[in-house]
Amino acid sequence: MTARLTAWYGAAKRDLPWRKTRDPYRILVSEVMLQQTRSGTVIPYYEKFIERYPTAQELARAGDTELLRMWSGLGYYRRARNLREAARRIAEDGEFPSGYEQILELPGVGGYTAAAVGSIAFGICRPVIDGNVLRVIARLTADSSDIGAPATRAAFETVAAGLLDRRDPGGFNQAIMELGATVCRPRNPLCPECPVSQDCLARQRGIQAQLPVKRRPAAQIPVELRLLVIERAGKLLLWKREEDAGRLAGFWELPTSAQLPKVKESRVVGSFRHSITNHRYTITVVEAGLDRPPRPFQWLERTRLDFEPLSTTARKALATFGQRPGKDL
């Protein structure tokens, strides 16, 4: 089964830029970017990031504003800061750590990322366990255990370790992840195209669509928010989060109606939805006017927007503002 899976991967794998290198730094960048982000979204960010920071030494010297601007749109901005801290550690040591436990000590690196980088770059025999791999193993073994439970994850890791190709652990890890991403999909799995379908107990029992089993997450909390687009002489009114403000530290934001309750709103331009962890935001974008903004609001030249880190909600709001005629209030 392992041989069929790796042979299939060699013929069917997608052409992704991080698969053309064994450089552990570049593999680390890709794996961090791919955390909770689709590969199609990551590709242009990865290429621009590597062009700007081709080595850990270059990234180690990156300033906060530029780093956040390069990452803007990927979300989960703590990843960018952790990646830079990892690059600084690598630059200080003079080389990338080549052991699993040493890679695991890099800032922001967990078991999955350490296994992925270690197996692909250094041939370390360590299985990767992510959502795709959990789904594949749940179906292969027809296991209906809750994949959100630590005990299930540990059991599935043992199964993955038993399947691991000791001659090419990196190739196998990429193969099983690719299988989950493209064939053994969450919905409507493409079983006739699967190279290991004959070994799949779930398919034999006709229960592949019912697996894996995962407890329902807590319901998202709905939040209504009004973002204000206030412009004067080619400048936009924005405010910048403090450096100790958590995951969005250093990012520019549009003001909200709650922050400026006395502002004169002129028209609703549009709306969009945005989810962050367990909150689901419905954001209304409003054009407004204001002569003398209080602190901490600042006028920022529109020409600087491409060079400053804007939050995702601010970018979405400005895109909505630029595309829709709106209605007067």
Side-chain angles (χ1 to χ4, degrees):
M1 182 174 67
T2 296
R4 289 197 305 276
L5 179 58
T6 52
W8 166 83
Y9 175 71
K13 65 183 177 182
R14 291 168 294 173
D15 183 19
L16 301 174
W18 46 85
R19 289 179 174 165
K20 300 174 182 178
T21 181
R22 297 290 293 273
D23 181 342
Y25 162 72
R26 297 189 176 199
I27 296 169
L28 176 63
V29 171
S30 70
E31 291 297 339
V32 172
M33 286 186 169
L34 287 165
Q35 293 169 7
Q36 299 177 310
T37 310
R38 295 180 179 276
S39 59
T41 301
V42 167
I43 290 173
Y45 284 93
Y46 171 82
E47 292 177 335
K48 290 179 182 178
F49 199 88
I50 290 299
E51 181 180 1
R52 178 64 187 87
Y53 311 118
T55 66
Q57 289 73 20
E58 291 287 341
L59 178 56
R61 293 192 290 269
D64 216 47
T65 297
E66 182 186 68
L67 176 68
L68 295 176
R69 179 175 59 81
M70 294 291 292
W71 201 272
S72 182
L74 277 176
Y76 302 97
Y77 297 100
R78 188 179 298 277
R79 295 182 297 173
R81 291 189 169 98
N82 282 336
L83 188 58
R84 181 178 58 187
E85 290 308 307
R88 287 173 175 171
R89 181 86 59 85
I90 295 164
E92 289 173 4
D93 294 343
E95 61 180 2
F96 200 102
S98 58
Y100 173 80
E101 298 296 339
Q102 290 71 39
I103 298 172
L104 194 58
E105 291 177 358
L106 292 173
V109 172
Y112 163 79
T113 302
V117 175
S119 64
I120 297 169
F122 302 109
I124 297 172
C125 288
R126 195 90 185 197
V128 294
I129 299 295
D130 69 349
N132 286 324
V133 176
L134 290 172
R135 182 169 58 256
V136 170
I137 293 176
R139 288 172 175 167
L140 282 174
T141 60
D143 193 325
S144 59
S145 302
D146 175 19
I147 61 171
T152 303
R153 191 180 186 93
F156 283 14
E157 185 172 0
T158 299
V159 174
L163 295 172
L164 192 66
D165 184 346
R166 302 285 163 173
R167 297 168 300 178
D168 184 12
F172 175 82
N173 279 337
Q174 292 180 90
I176 195 168
M177 289 189 289
E178 184 80 347
L179 185 71
T182 62
V183 175
C184 195
R185 307 179 302 188
R187 297 178 182 176
N188 303 316
L190 305 176
C191 296
E193 300 179 19
C194 179
V196 295
S197 60
Q198 66 195 75
D199 306 285
C200 182
L201 294 181
R203 192 190 185 201
Q204 292 173 20
R205 299 172 189 177
I207 60 172
Q208 63 269 31
Q210 301 169 31
L211 296 174
V213 172
K214 186 176 183 180
R215 290 192 305 264
R216 286 187 176 183
Q220 286 189 312
I221 301 169
V223 180
E224 300 281 341
L225 190 67
R226 292 171 78 86
L227 289 182
L228 306 176
V229 178
I230 303 174
E231 187 170 9
R232 185 180 71 182
K235 298 179 180 180
L236 281 172
L237 191 66
L238 299 154
W239 62 280
K240 192 173 187 179
R241 291 183 179 270
E242 299 292 339
E243 292 303 321
D244 59 352
R247 59 182 182 81
L248 286 175
F251 274 75
W252 290 92
E253 299 274 11
L254 289 171
T256 67
S257 58
Q259 291 173 311
L260 298 173
K262 297 182 179 180
V263 76
K264 183 179 179 181
E265 299 182 358
S266 58
R267 62 177 183 137
V268 172
V269 181
S271 65
F272 61 92
R273 291 182 177 178
H274 183 74
S275 294
I276 302 177
T277 59
N278 63 331
H279 291 79
R280 183 181 71 254
Y281 292 87
T282 299
I283 299 175
T284 302
V285 185
V286 181
E287 184 179 16
L290 185 67
D291 293 328
R292 296 182 179 179
R295 297 181 65 183
F297 300 100
Q298 302 178 45
W299 294 107
L300 192 70
E301 294 280 357
R302 268 191 173 272
T303 54
R304 285 181 56 191
L305 295 183
D306 289 336
F307 305 97
E308 296 288 343
L310 287 181
S311 71
T312 300
T313 53
R315 288 193 180 278
K316 286 183 176 180
L318 291 175
T320 302
F321 180 81
Q323 295 171 5
R324 301 187 180 181
K327 61 178 181 179
D328 294 336
L329 293 172

